[in-house]
Amino acid sequence: LVEKNYVYGDTKQEVNVYVKVFTNSPFLVCMDLARSREEVIDPKYLWIGPDGKNLEGQMYVNLTKTGKLMVMGFKESMSGAYTCTLSHKIIETTTQEERVVFEAYKFMVYAYREADHAYQVFVRFTTRECELAANSQFFEELKKILNNIISDLTCHILESSYKCHSIKRPKQGLLHELFVSFQVNPFAPGWEEVCHQVPYDCEDATNMRVQEARERIGEFFNKQTYALKHEFQTVPTIHYVDNSFSVTHIDSCRPGFGKNDITHKNCASCCVVCEPGTYSPNNEVTCQICTRPRVKKYGATSC
């Protein structure tokens, strides 16, 4: 159904279209692919928007003479059903008799955003014993170092914690290790100001920054391995466990958006605008159902 920047209709079913917020939609074609490759006599097109109004002459649309519709500067509130009725004539070759036929096409157009990325990091350090006072001092220092490494990216370390565990490995005595966990998050104070320098939407810039932060932190732990092997005469009491660095990718959506890989399987990784009757008040990835669905709009942040 999608060709170049065109999305074709289908008389048998509605066609889902996803438009990134603040961008222009592809051209919605008031025909199916087969019809567009045939001769059409005296075609007329009637486009109706989600509010039930005729779209001809509206400032925010580009409507071509051949019935193609582009919605410009797409916002959450523009989501919904766009329907087009195509009327054209069929002329009988023998009698030259004319009759008018009608075909209806329905497009469900949804605003979407890219998900905001963050990273959950797990890393381990060997220590002499679990009751060591130096463990918590070490942990605080580690957080400061990591925050310094990424502060120029307006990223920061969140939800950091550690636990000490005793470990018995085959053919070795009892060891003690600190299991450290933290989140690398792109919304450190001041991130909005950085965003205002970016036209339109900020996710792409934010996601690039947090990716860079994750890479710097990975590099920092790689260097620990090198330093332990090459730079220390005596190994420090608390030191990095080789290859213990692991990262999990976490997505979040802005309020009014959520993910649904069943309803929106063609845009499963996108944060799609919450449909009427649902809402998302926070940065979770799901739109919640309103208990009393008073919400008639797309992109609700409360019921």
Side-chain angles (χ1 to χ4, degrees), residues 45-114:
Y45 311 93
L46 173 64
W47 277 100
I48 302 293
D51 56 3
K53 292 180 183 161
N54 189 335
L55 288 170
E56 196 168 341
Q58 300 285 0
M59 297 292 288
Y60 59 90
V61 300
N62 175 2
L63 200 48
T64 72
K65 289 193 172 101
T66 53
K68 296 180 185 74
L69 172 78
M70 175 188 277
V71 188
M72 298 182 292
F74 207 82
K75 299 188 191 78
E76 295 96 306
S77 56
M78 295 174 172
S79 300
Y82 288 74
T83 53
C84 178
T85 308
L86 163 67
S87 65
H88 61 98
K89 288 178 183 163
I90 292 179
I91 301 174
E92 297 294 339
T93 39
T94 46
T95 61
Q96 291 297 294
E97 191 182 309
E98 297 179 7
R99 62 191 174 91
V100 178
V101 292
F102 295 89
E103 287 161 14
Y105 298 96
K106 184 176 180 182
F107 299 85
M108 288 303 297
V109 187
Y110 299 99
Y112 81 90
R113 291 173 175 270
E114 298 293 342

Side-chain angles (χ1 to χ4, degrees), residues 123-125 127 130 135 139 161-166 176-181:
V123 67
R124 284 156 73 166
F125 290 86
T127 184
C130 281
N135 289 346
F139 178 64
S161 64
Y162 79 94
K163 279 185 177 170
C164 189
H165 295 281
S166 306
H176 303 286
E177 286 187 6
L178 306 178
F179 285 54
V180 176
S181 137

Side-chain angles (χ1 to χ4, degrees), residues 25 52 70 76 79 96 109 146 172 191-192 208 220 243 251-252 272:
S25 76
M70 175 188 277
E76 295 96 306
S79 300
Q96 291 297 294
V109 187
L146 295 175
Q172 286 182 328
W191 73 272
E192 281 117 328
M208 275 166 63
F220 169 78
N243 295 324
D251 275 353
S252 61
V272 180

Side-chain angles (χ1 to χ4, degrees), residues 242-261:
D242 199 6
N243 295 324
S244 67
F245 175 75
S246 71
V247 182
T248 312
H249 181 234
I250 308 167
D251 275 353
S252 61
C253 294
R254 301 283 169 97
F257 290 80
K259 286 183 168 195
N260 188 326
D261 54 4

